[in-house]
Amino acid sequence: MKIRNNALAGIALAAAAALGLAACGASTPTPAATGSADAKPSGEITVYNAQHESLTAEWVDAFTKETGVKVTVRNGDDTEMSNQIVQEGGASPADVFLTENSPAMAQVENAGLFADMDKATVDQVPAEYRPSTNKWTGIAARSTVLVYDKTKLSEDKLPKSLLDLAKPEWKGKWAASPAGADFQAIVSALLELKGEAATEEWLKGMKENSKAYKGNSTAMKAVNAGEVETALIYHYYYFGDQAKTGENSKNVGLHYFKNQDPGAFLSISGGGVLKSSKNAAAAQAFLKFITGKQGQEVLKNGTSFEYAIASKVDANAKLVPVKDLQAPAVDPAKLNSAKVAELMTKAGLL
């Protein structure tokens, strides 16, 4: 779904080694350190964007209309962009980094490249939707779901836990997109919640039981077409298809694991200001805007179907309310994409 910039091609995988750096400790946001979001912004900023292009375009257009700040957007995927920023280091031309999933944010944070978030922004976002370090902030969220073929399965026949998918009875009955950042974020949560041994065992079962597809949409289409009975994806792929023709989801039901299960993981999309920003005031103002009421109402009223999480804005009315998801508590600052890639490679999934 992303249009990659030529400048982002050929990123060295060695950049991921920056994950091994010690994470920055929790800190109190200080507007003076990075430019205050309350100051009148001006000039221009560059956003490295790994969020959906259409969603970010809505935010950018509204922000520019409100402030006059020109925003240049460079699009790529989570890992591509985080590796690019780590490679560029203090010389990065990026002012702001936006992602779909939080492990890429943690990678940049662990490399020491984020400025503190302005307190005005932090105050808009509940603690469960941002890292404990306040080095970046949540901007939206997406829920893990198991989509299933309603013509073959009923709710009572579905697994009670994500962990059940590794059992022999689910061999050949579920799909995923293991190479994608979306799925790896889910595994990152499993690693944080259950530890390395349990994650390694689950990945071994996944290798035996699952079918691999390229992309969540493709996995859902496979369920809809009867190729496979279930698939582990994020919720908004279903709602986005339903809002269009519904042709790729007409036979599909949604199963929410709930009960603080790893399969109920709520992945946080992130936004952060780079220390290298040449216009920190405008960069901070941009994140304050998208986590503010007007920015979050883009999520509530638009067609991205991601969850609004800040400024007390409700989710899109078509979605299951966040409180009813019963998601497990996970500090997004602790999600370790490098370890996940290592474990998935060892299991033969990457």
Side-chain angles (χ1 to χ4, degrees):
M1 294 178 68
K2 300 287 191 299
I3 301 174
R4 291 181 171 81
N5 229 295
N6 288 337
L8 298 178
I11 304 303
L13 293 176
L19 275 164
L21 298 176
C24 299
S27 57
T28 301
T30 53
T34 56
S36 173
D38 292 323
K40 183 174 175 57
S42 61
E44 56 187 79
I45 58 174
T46 295
V47 174
Y48 278 18
N49 178 52
Q51 244 295 349
H52 291 153
E53 292 176 31
S54 58
L55 173 57
T56 298
E58 286 189 76
W59 277 330
V60 165
D61 290 347
F63 176 70
T64 298
K65 184 177 180 180
E66 179 83 12
T67 65
V69 174
K70 179 184 176 182
V71 181
T72 299
V73 179
R74 298 186 183 181
N75 294 306
D77 67 24
D78 281 6
T79 305
E80 179 182 43
M81 283 294 190
S82 60
N83 281 344
Q84 176 74 8
I85 291 171
V86 169
Q87 185 182 57
E88 293 169 343
S92 177
D95 296 284
V96 174
F97 182 34
L98 303 182
T99 62
E100 290 186 4
N101 299 286
S102 60
M105 301 300 292
Q107 179 183 356
V108 175
E109 177 183 353
N110 290 346
L113 298 175
F114 279 136
D116 286 342
M117 287 305 307
D118 193 278
K119 187 176 186 303
T121 300
V122 172
D123 287 348
Q124 294 182 148
V125 184
E128 61 265 35
Y129 303 129
R130 52 181 165 83
S132 58
T133 57
N134 289 326
K135 284 294 185 179
W136 51 275
T137 185
I139 57 175
R142 58 275 299 279
S143 175
T144 310
V145 295
L146 190 72
V147 292
Y148 65 97
D149 185 344
K150 293 186 297 185
T151 69
K152 296 179 179 177
L153 291 172
S154 56
E155 273 278 347
D156 61 313
K157 303 297 183 184
L158 296 173
K160 303 301 182 188
S161 169
L162 173 79
L163 301 176
D164 292 340
L165 291 171
K167 294 179 178 179
E169 57 264 35
W170 283 97
K171 184 176 179 63
K173 295 181 178 180
W174 67 284
S177 178
D182 285 355
F183 186 79
Q184 290 171 35
I186 295 169
V187 180
S188 291
L190 176 62
L191 178 62
E192 175 62 18
L193 290 164
K194 297 296 183 181
E196 186 172 335
T199 301
E200 192 167 5
E201 188 66 23
W202 188 82
L203 290 172
K204 188 186 301 182
M206 177 182 174
K207 176 64 176 176
E208 289 293 319
N209 291 354
S210 69
K211 298 181 180 181
Y213 287 86
K214 188 174 182 179
N216 284 330
S217 292
T218 307
M220 183 179 72
K221 288 178 186 178
V223 174
N224 188 67
E227 293 177 17
V228 63
E229 293 182 12
T230 67
L232 195 67
I233 66 171
Y234 283 145
H235 77 279
Y236 65 86
Y237 290 93
Y238 170 84
F239 289 99
D241 188 70
Q242 285 285 299
K244 296 173 184 175
T245 64
E247 63 184 318
N248 297 311
S249 58
K250 61 183 179 181
N251 298 323
V252 169
L254 295 185
H255 176 57
Y256 295 87
F257 288 101
K258 300 186 177 183
N259 300 311
Q260 289 75 50
D261 188 80
F265 172 58
L266 191 67
S267 183
I268 305 301
S269 299
V273 173
L274 278 298
K275 284 183 179 178
S276 59
S277 174
K278 303 299 190 294
N279 191 353
Q284 293 282 0
F286 179 64
L287 287 180
K288 182 185 177 186
F289 178 84
I290 65 177
T291 57
K293 190 172 187 295
Q294 188 174 346
Q296 292 293 291
E297 284 181 345
V298 169
L299 296 166
K300 177 182 178 180
N301 302 322
T303 56
S304 71
F305 295 104
E306 294 194 55
Y307 279 95
I309 58 172
S311 295
K312 300 180 180 179
V313 175
D314 292 333
N316 187 298
K318 293 185 178 180
L319 305 182
V320 175
V322 171
K323 62 180 178 60
D324 294 339
L325 296 173
Q326 300 173 15
V330 179
D331 183 350
K334 295 181 179 179
L335 298 185
N336 189 337
S337 58
K339 188 63 178 180
V340 165
E342 176 190 321
L343 293 175
M344 290 183 70
T345 299
K346 182 178 179 181
L349 292 162
L350 294 178

